Amino acid sequence: QRSQKRSNSTPENPRPKRTPCSHSPYVLLSPSSFSPSVTPSQKYTARGSRGEVVASFGSVEGPSWSGRGGRGCTLKLFGSPEENLTKSYKFMFQKVLDVREVLSWRIEELGDALKSHHHLEDFASVLLPAQEPVTVLGQIGCDSNGKLNAKSVVLEGDREHSSGGQVPLDLSELKEYSLFPGQIVALEGTNSTGRKMVVSKLYEV
């Protein structure tokens, strides 16, 4: 067998796949032919403008401080005590009952806005049977862990009128609707058995 000596090919000295000749465009289209006068990039560690102040505003040299200490200082809290923190508080820590209280208050607030905007009568309970159309208030929920669809929509009633009870909704009589879980709405419909409400009108915020 004849031993063949291979030429070393490194990233610094790449070996061309084709041997350049006078008729090949390899030499003409090389990077050096396009930018022969480009200087090599300066290394990041060799830069000379490290820590240099390029802009300043006002006098920042030699500030003078004067005071008489902290004797006789009293702190006065503005606003109601409920809106101010007077003791240590865990950031992003909420109790379940506090969250439920805020959600219930939000439902009542938006319920009043719906009532005044659409000129609605007093809300009824979602749990009581109703042969005639009644208006109820609550937030949209899902009866399963899957995605919300026309068959899985439930209404969780408010605490004041429905004590937080849930009732499935029949949306077949509505021409169009757009709902999402957690949406606060007022509905008009009939609940003849007390187990399912057939919705005839939908009042959104």
Side-chain angles (χ1 to χ4, degrees), residues 9-22:
S9 175
T10 61
E12 290 78 10
N13 301 315
R15 182 180 57 183
K17 293 182 179 179
R18 295 182 180 179
T19 304
C21 61
S22 59

Side-chain angles (χ1 to χ4, degrees), residues 13-200:
N13 301 315
R15 182 180 57 183
K17 293 182 179 179
R18 295 182 180 179
T19 304
C21 61
S22 59
H23 300 287
S24 174
Y26 178 81
V27 179
L28 298 177
L29 299 178
S30 63
S32 60
S33 63
F34 285 107
S35 56
S37 62
V38 174
T39 57
S41 61
Q42 187 182 12
K43 290 185 178 181
Y44 181 75
T45 56
R47 66 192 190 279
S49 61
R50 289 179 291 181
E52 180 183 355
V53 179
V54 295
S56 61
F57 177 78
S59 176
V60 294
E61 296 182 358
S64 60
W65 298 92
S66 61
R68 298 180 179 178
R71 298 179 180 178
C73 294
T74 57
L75 297 177
K76 185 177 181 181
L77 209 59
F78 291 93
S80 59
E82 292 81 7
E83 298 177 356
N84 296 284
L85 294 176
T86 57
K87 57 183 179 180
S88 60
Y89 179 77
K90 293 183 179 180
F91 180 65
M92 296 184 69
F93 177 80
Q94 295 174 325
K95 297 181 180 179
V96 179
L97 294 179
D98 295 339
V99 175
R100 179 60 185 170
E101 190 70 25
V102 172
L103 292 176
S104 300
W105 171 80
R106 188 64 174 170
I107 293 177
E108 294 176 3
E109 183 185 33
L110 294 178
D112 294 337
L114 284 169
K115 186 185 296 184
S116 60
H117 181 71
H118 297 285
H119 306 287
L120 304 176
E121 298 180 357
D122 197 15
F123 297 114
S125 174
V126 300
L127 301 176
L128 297 178
Q131 305 297 332
E132 298 295 330
V134 293
T135 305
V136 296
L137 174 68
Q139 63 178 348
I140 299 297
C142 184
D143 63 355
S144 63
N145 294 329
K147 294 183 178 180
L148 190 67
N149 53 58
K151 301 296 182 181
S152 65
V153 181
V154 298
L155 181 71
E156 183 179 350
D158 62 333
R159 186 173 57 179
E160 181 180 356
H161 303 93
S162 305
S163 300
Q166 292 185 353
V167 61
L169 298 181
D170 184 359
L171 305 173
S172 58
E173 294 188 2
L174 293 179
K175 295 182 179 180
E176 58 181 6
Y177 55 88
S178 177
L179 303 173
F180 60 87
Q183 182 180 2
I184 299 175
V185 295
L187 303 174
E188 181 181 293
T190 56
N191 188 7
S192 58
T193 61
R195 298 180 179 179
K196 177 175 285 190
M197 173 165 286
V198 181
V199 184
S200 57

